[in-house]
Amino acid sequence: MSSHARRLSQWFPESMPLRKVAVLLGLDASKASGLVRAGRFPCRVTKVKGKYVAFLPDVMEAMGIEDPVVRKDDLLEGAEFAKRWG
């Protein structure tokens, strides 16, 4: 993979807070920590600086979203198209 081609998940922030992930997965955010401790959260979670986070590729997998390779030029062309027509 060239430096201008990356997995879709690599274009976004590396990790997401547990509560946000819970909402994306349709779970009660107030119960997310309990699900993690019980080993029942639907994707891999880790602690960073004392807070639970999930990494985007794991969240995408739990949501059934593919993580395709995206070229930088394609991403920029898509953004330009959206600006003109969106």
Side-chain angles (χ1 to χ4, degrees):
M1 208 176 331
S2 78
S3 63
H4 295 290
R6 302 183 197 166
R7 294 263 171 217
L8 177 62
S9 62
Q10 293 174 311
W11 293 99
F12 296 97
E14 190 174 307
S15 64
M16 300 172 67
L18 182 64
R19 292 179 70 80
K20 185 175 205 168
V21 174
V23 170
L24 287 172
L25 296 175
L27 303 171
D28 184 341
S30 66
K31 296 180 180 175
S33 294
L35 291 171
V36 171
R37 286 190 296 275
R40 295 181 35 224
F41 201 78
C43 71
R44 187 173 52 160
V45 174
T46 191
K47 268 192 172 181
V48 174
K49 296 182 182 177
K51 296 185 179 191
Y52 286 120
V53 297
F55 295 96
L56 189 56
D58 298 320
V59 175
M60 291 173 66
E61 183 179 331
M63 296 176 75
I65 299 172
E66 291 184 30
D67 195 8
V69 172
V70 178
R71 289 182 28 240
K72 181 179 179 182
D73 292 342
D74 292 339
L75 188 66
L76 295 173
E77 287 174 23
E80 185 60 36
F81 179 85
K83 241 194 295 188
R84 279 183 284 158
W85 300 101

